């Protein structure tokens, strides 16, 4: 992930010089802040003005009303400094937004809410292996005020472009203000969790079938199963770190009155919180189920090893018979029974084979061989 982020940072300047930021036409003037992917003013639920800079957007909001929605992607400290000053964002929240790698949370700074969401994307793979990446995470951070919302996105997933277009097609909802955008982002993030949970469930089912299938090899297990299960557990843990900490923030948004959140929109947060609670229960069940599958796989490996030891012990017991007889008659005493008997040698061979066959048959009957 760090290598991908470094590569993206290296190519960003050339890409931004050659291509217009999202939401602007080629003929629009170049944005001063290259991290901005879209910046616009909304009045009565409709996109009223294309604004190149956050300062122009806020000036339009103060004079004509509405709210501003500024979207950024992986801004640097210098790129975000002007926006933070324009909207009066708290330095601690600004630091979190720039450096990312934050835990999902909700913080209140005066009349501004700072919300962190972890986005989760399912990584498609032809076959699950011990090194497969199953989930990929990113972050969306929202500064929500009375007449503005600033979204900061980190990672290659979780784009808000389609969400912005969908909200613009629903002016009645967008007219509720910045809290309507915050709800839509939370709803999209949680819907992503539901989709990823379904895909991870299929991976777990595949591993479970492989572990308990009698046709997967000796003892019903394969040497790579433990590695695959452990890798899947690591990916589920990463998924869990995105889902579980978000329960409390959504509960607060759905139950506690907050100035930037419209009372009508607050009701919608309850539905999102309910969906998140169900996903969280599903993710917790994934962890328990994978623990059980791993224990079953280890038990199958122990059983297979026990069967190998029984076979080795059985053959050792069989070969002990001729070894013992050869050892006795190899002592070369003068007065040994049958030592000078004409049929002594063939008799000993026949007795040795008979004893070995009898022992082999007994072990076979008891399932040791």
């Amino acid at each position: 992930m760090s290598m991908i982020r470094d590569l993206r940072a290296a190519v960003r300047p050339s890409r931004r010089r050659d291509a217009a930021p999202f939401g602007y036409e080629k003929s629009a003037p170049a944005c001063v802040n290259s991290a901005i992917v879209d910046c616009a003013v909304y009045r009565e639920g409709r996109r009223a003005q294309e604004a190149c800079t956050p300062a122009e957007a806020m000036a339009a909001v103060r004079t004509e009303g509405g709210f501003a929605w500024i979207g950024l992607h992986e801004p640097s400290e210098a790129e975000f400094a002007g926006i933070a000053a324009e909207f009066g964002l708290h330095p601690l929240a600004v630091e979190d937004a720039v450096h990312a790698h934050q835990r999902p949370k909700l913080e209140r700074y005066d009349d501004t809410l700072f919300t962190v969401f972890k986005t989760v994307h399912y990584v498609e793979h032809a076959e699950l292996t011990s090194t497969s990446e199953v989930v990929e995470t990113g972050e969306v951070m929202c500064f929500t005020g009375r007449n503005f919302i600033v979204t900061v996105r980190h990672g290659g997933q979780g784009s808000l472009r389609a969400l912005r277009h969908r909200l613009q097609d629903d002016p009645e909802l967008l007219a509720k203000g910045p809290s309507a955008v915050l709800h839509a982002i939370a709803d999209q993030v949680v819907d992503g969790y539901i989709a990823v949970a379904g895909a991870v469930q299929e991976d777990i089912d595949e591993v479970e079938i492989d572990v308990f299938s009698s046709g997967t090899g000796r003892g019903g297990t394969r040497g790579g199963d433990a590695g695959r299960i452990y890798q899947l557990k690591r990916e589920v843990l990463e998924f869990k770190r995105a889902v579980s900490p978000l329960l409390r923030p959504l509960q607060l948004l759905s139950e506690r009155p907050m100035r930037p959140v419209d009372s009508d929109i607050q009701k919608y947060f309850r539905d999102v919180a309910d969906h998140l609670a169900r996903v969280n229960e599903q993710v917790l069940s994934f962890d328990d189920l994978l623990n059980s599958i791993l224990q079953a796989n280890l038990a199958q490996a122990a059983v297979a090893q026990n069967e190998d030891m029984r076979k080795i012990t059985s053959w050792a017991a069989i070969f002990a018979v001729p070894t013992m007889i050869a050892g006795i008659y190899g002592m070369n005493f003068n007065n040994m029974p049958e030592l000078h008997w004409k049929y002594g040698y063939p008799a000993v061979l026949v007795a040795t084979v008979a004893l070995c066959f009898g022992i082999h048959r007994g072990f076979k009957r008891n399932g040791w061989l």
Side-chain angles (χ1 to χ4, degrees):
M1 289 296 295
S2 60
M3 182 179 67
I4 296 175
R5 188 175 293 109
D6 292 340
L7 179 60
R8 185 184 296 115
V11 302
R12 177 189 293 166
S14 60
R15 177 175 60 83
R16 285 175 175 161
R17 283 193 300 267
D18 298 335
F22 164 67
Y24 295 97
E25 300 298 333
K26 282 285 188 177
S27 58
C31 281
V32 175
N33 191 327
S34 60
I36 296 178
V37 293
D38 201 353
C39 178
V41 174
Y42 296 88
R43 298 190 190 93
E44 298 181 355
R46 302 187 183 279
R47 189 167 182 142
Q49 178 178 343
E50 300 284 356
C52 188
T53 66
E56 293 176 358
M58 285 307 297
V61 168
R62 292 188 186 102
T63 57
E64 302 178 25
F67 74 93
W69 180 359
I70 295 90
L72 302 98
H73 180 243
E74 298 184 356
S76 64
E77 292 184 11
E79 290 172 330
F80 201 52
I83 296 175
E86 180 68 35
F87 294 97
L89 306 180
H90 196 279
L92 291 177
V94 171
E95 182 180 359
D96 290 345
V98 171
H99 296 291
H101 303 294
Q102 300 299 314
R103 189 173 183 266
K105 61 182 178 179
L106 171 65
E107 295 178 346
R108 182 187 298 180
Y109 298 96
D110 297 327
D111 291 338
T112 302
L113 295 180
F114 177 60
T115 316
V116 178
F117 300 98
K118 282 277 191 182
T119 58
V120 179
H121 170 70
Y122 180 76
V123 180
E124 297 289 344
H125 44 266
E127 181 182 1
L128 182 65
T129 66
S130 59
T131 58
S132 295
E133 184 180 12
V134 178
V135 296
E136 181 182 3
T137 59
E139 292 178 44
V140 175
M141 306 176 184
C142 303
F143 294 87
T144 309
R146 182 179 59 84
N147 55 5
F148 70 87
I149 180 166
V150 179
T151 57
V152 182
R153 184 168 62 88
H154 290 267
Q157 307 298 329
S159 173
L160 302 179
R161 178 175 183 172
L163 175 65
R164 187 186 288 261
H165 289 168
R166 188 165 64 249
L167 284 174
Q168 289 174 170
D169 292 336
D170 189 359
E172 184 177 353
L173 179 60
L174 196 55
K176 298 295 183 180
S179 59
V181 179
L182 180 63
H183 163 264
I185 293 173
D187 189 47
Q188 176 171 287
V189 169
V190 174
D191 285 346
Y193 294 165
I194 295 173
V196 172
V200 172
Q201 179 69 65
E202 293 181 0
D203 283 336
I204 294 176
D205 291 343
E206 177 186 343
V207 170
E208 187 176 19
I209 291 172
D210 288 344
V211 168
F212 291 101
S213 173
S214 59
T216 56
R218 186 181 59 193
T221 183
R222 297 187 301 186
D225 279 340
R228 294 195 305 156
I229 297 169
Y230 186 71
Q231 176 65 15
L232 197 53
K233 277 182 63 64
R234 288 175 59 90
E235 297 298 308
V236 168
L237 179 60
E238 185 175 0
F239 190 13
K240 181 180 177 182
R241 288 172 179 166
V243 174
S244 296
L246 190 57
L247 289 169
R248 181 58 177 167
L250 284 184
Q251 182 182 8
L252 293 175
L253 286 170
S254 63
E255 297 176 357
R256 184 173 298 178
M258 299 181 183
R259 290 183 183 177
V261 180
D262 187 274
S263 58
D264 292 335
I265 294 297
Q266 193 169 32
K267 302 174 184 177
Y268 290 93
F269 277 111
R270 297 173 189 168
D271 182 62
V272 179
D274 179 64
H275 290 171
L276 180 66
R278 284 186 288 176
V279 173
N280 184 64
E281 292 174 359
Q282 191 174 6
V283 173
L284 293 178
S285 69
F286 288 165
D287 197 32
D288 293 338
L289 181 58
L290 284 171
N291 284 333
S292 300
I293 295 174
L294 182 59
Q295 291 299 321
N297 178 256
L298 295 177
Q300 288 178 340
V303 169
Q305 291 178 349
N306 187 43
E307 290 180 355
D308 291 340
M309 290 303 300
R310 286 193 300 180
K311 290 180 180 180
I312 293 172
T313 303
S314 300
W315 284 111
I318 293 173
F319 283 111
V321 173
T323 303
M324 179 190 67
I325 296 175
I328 292 175
Y329 279 92
M331 291 186 292
N332 296 321
F333 289 112
N334 291 327
N335 297 321
M336 291 184 67
E338 294 87 25
L339 189 62
H340 302 288
W341 182 37
K342 180 180 178 180
Y343 300 103
Y345 179 70
V348 169
L349 290 180
V350 171
T352 301
V353 172
L355 287 173
C356 290
F357 178 77
I359 296 174
H360 182 275
R361 187 172 182 180
F363 285 137
K364 193 78 171 179
R365 186 184 299 113
N366 292 328
W368 283 47
L369 289 174

